[in-house]
Amino acid sequence: MSLRLASRRLALSGPSPVRPSPIPKSSSTAQIRTKWSVNIFKGWGKSGSKDSSAKAPTDATSELDDPKKRAAFLERNMHGSVSDNIFQDEIDAAKPSAESEAPQQQEQKTRENMAMVTDPDPRSRIRWQRRKVIQMVRSNGAISKEERIKASERQLLHRSHFMPTSVKKLVMLSRQIAGKPVDEAISQMQWSKKKMAAEVKYYLEEARDLAIAQRGMGLGKVNGEVLEKPRKILTKDGKWIEVTDPTRMYVAQSWVGRGPWRGKEIDYKGRGRMGIIQHPSTSFTVLLKEEKTRIREYEEREAKKAAKGPWVHLPNRRVHGQRPYYSW
């Protein structure tokens, strides 16, 4: 059973659909619901209304295309509120002030996002700078030996993730590459039969790439810092080496660290007994330096040896720490 009998009668009743008849203003069906109904049906049924009926759709569409006129129409028909309509984005985009402020706001937003990375804690940075200025004023501009070395020599400390092996196994590879140039250490790990040698080789290559990209290490041939004559120096291990490129990287130190247990397993034994097998994890750390450091250390050792006088059996100095009794 349909409840829309009145609407059906109104829809069926009326003149023939060949030509639309004028809609009386007093009729209940002449309800203005949209903007198009005002302009399109405005001149129908009147004499000489061809021009007005032809121009009405174009005027309506042009007024809808214009954001300013649309905003005025929406404000007039929505009681002065245009914040929730679907054309708000186009209305805001049509404002000249928004176009000029958009690049500035985007640049400001980019600067703020970059500041979160480059300067995450500005108050701490200001305190640190203030403390350093106070230290420099107190020392009258003098810098210590450690600060001078850090300013002139570069290094990189790189630590790996925890690897599924034990300290006892990984420490042998760590000792194998200590003191060697980076390229030679990578070659040692490439031809090693140990299982973790591939992992150590990967972290050595990663440390080398980071040292080149972040610290600018190992670029002596590119920057023209190669020595004219090879320099022969003695290392701490008692080996003589020739240095041509003072920026060549070498493994200054390498060590391993114990990590958390990866898991447990039951170790079945005889006579119904059992034990627990714990699977360890170990990290690998490497410290890369340039050959400038080894040259400086060799020169310091030679200068200290030259400044030292001849050995005297009974030097002329006060004897202290003597025991008044026999130690046996």
Side-chain angles (χ1 to χ4, degrees):
M1 182 176 179
S2 178
L3 299 176
R4 300 183 179 179
L5 296 176
S7 61
R8 288 187 177 184
R9 290 169 185 170
L10 288 174
L12 293 174
S13 62
S16 61
V18 177
R19 182 177 179 181
S21 61
I23 302 173
K25 295 184 179 180
S26 62
S27 176
S28 61
T29 58
Q31 297 179 4
I32 300 174
R33 296 185 179 274
T34 59
K35 183 175 178 61
W36 293 275
S37 62
V38 178
N39 295 324
I40 294 175
F41 300 104
K42 195 172 184 180
W44 282 20
K46 296 180 180 179
S47 60
S49 60
K50 294 182 180 180
D51 299 335
S52 61
S53 61
K55 294 181 180 179
T58 56
D59 296 340
T61 53
S62 62
E63 188 169 351
L64 288 174
D65 290 338
D66 192 354
K68 295 182 179 180
K69 295 182 180 179
R70 182 190 300 155
F73 169 75
L74 292 173
E75 289 179 359
R76 186 169 61 252
N77 291 275
M78 295 180 65
H79 306 286
S81 175
V82 295
S83 60
D84 297 333
N85 61 80
I86 60 176
F87 306 112
Q88 186 62 32
D89 297 335
E90 298 179 13
I91 295 171
D92 296 340
K95 296 180 181 179
S97 59
E99 296 178 358
S100 59
E101 294 177 0
Q104 298 178 0
Q105 293 178 356
Q106 185 176 4
E107 183 180 359
Q108 181 68 18
K109 187 175 181 181
T110 305
R111 190 182 300 109
E112 292 176 358
N113 295 340
M114 289 297 295
M116 294 174 63
V117 179
T118 57
D119 195 7
D121 194 356
R123 296 182 62 184
S124 299
R125 177 183 55 80
I126 293 173
R127 287 197 302 266
W128 180 82
Q129 291 178 351
R130 181 174 178 273
R131 185 167 61 252
K132 289 300 178 182
V133 170
I134 292 173
Q135 292 177 2
M136 185 178 63
V137 171
R138 287 178 179 175
S139 61
N140 199 14
I143 59 176
S144 61
K145 180 181 177 182
E146 290 78 9
E147 294 175 349
R148 186 174 66 253
I149 291 174
K150 287 182 180 180
S152 59
E153 299 176 6
R154 293 166 289 193
Q155 64 181 15
L156 178 77
L157 182 67
H158 188 59
R159 181 176 177 272
S160 70
H161 299 287
F162 290 110
M163 294 181 281
T165 184
S166 63
V167 174
K168 186 177 180 181
K169 297 176 182 178
L170 193 60
V171 74
M172 309 307 289
L173 298 176
S174 176
R175 292 176 180 175
Q176 183 178 352
I177 63 175
K180 290 183 172 61
V182 176
D183 298 335
E184 185 178 348
I186 293 174
S187 300
Q188 291 284 337
M189 295 296 102
Q190 183 178 1
W191 302 105
S192 178
K193 296 182 179 180
K194 299 294 183 179
K195 183 179 179 180
M196 287 295 116
E199 297 290 333
V200 175
K201 174 178 174 291
Y202 169 79
Y203 285 110
L204 280 174
E205 292 176 348
E206 188 177 25
R208 177 197 60 189
D209 297 342
L210 288 175
I212 294 173
Q214 295 180 356
R215 309 296 170 85
M217 300 170 62
L219 300 177
K221 294 182 180 180
V222 178
N223 299 331
E225 300 178 7
V226 183
L227 300 176
E228 297 179 357
K229 295 182 180 180
R231 184 80 177 273
K232 198 171 184 180
I233 62 175
L234 182 66
T235 62
K236 292 182 179 180
D237 301 335
K239 298 179 181 179
W240 288 93
I241 60 173
E242 288 187 355
V243 178
T244 306
D245 185 6
T247 62
R248 185 182 65 174
M249 292 179 287
Y250 73 98
V251 182
Q253 298 179 27
S254 62
W255 64 89
V256 298
R258 189 184 303 276
W261 299 108
R262 294 181 291 114
K264 297 180 181 180
E265 186 180 355
I266 298 176
D267 183 17
Y268 297 98
K269 303 179 183 299
R271 297 184 181 183
R273 300 182 181 183
M274 65 179 63
I276 298 176
I277 300 176
Q278 292 181 330
H279 300 284
S281 62
T282 313
S283 65
F284 169 74
T285 309
V286 62
L287 178 64
L288 301 183
K289 293 185 179 181
E290 294 180 335
E291 294 292 348
K292 295 178 182 179
T293 305
R294 282 210 275 207
I295 294 174
R296 177 185 57 80
E297 292 175 353
Y298 171 70
E299 292 177 351
E300 288 180 355
R301 288 196 301 269
E302 293 296 323
K304 185 177 179 180
K305 189 184 298 183
K308 191 176 181 179
W311 181 77
V312 181
H313 182 65
L314 293 175
N316 187 14
R317 64 173 181 266
R318 183 177 298 180
V319 179
H320 58 87
Q322 298 295 321
R323 297 182 181 178
Y325 48 86
Y326 294 99
S327 59
W328 46 265

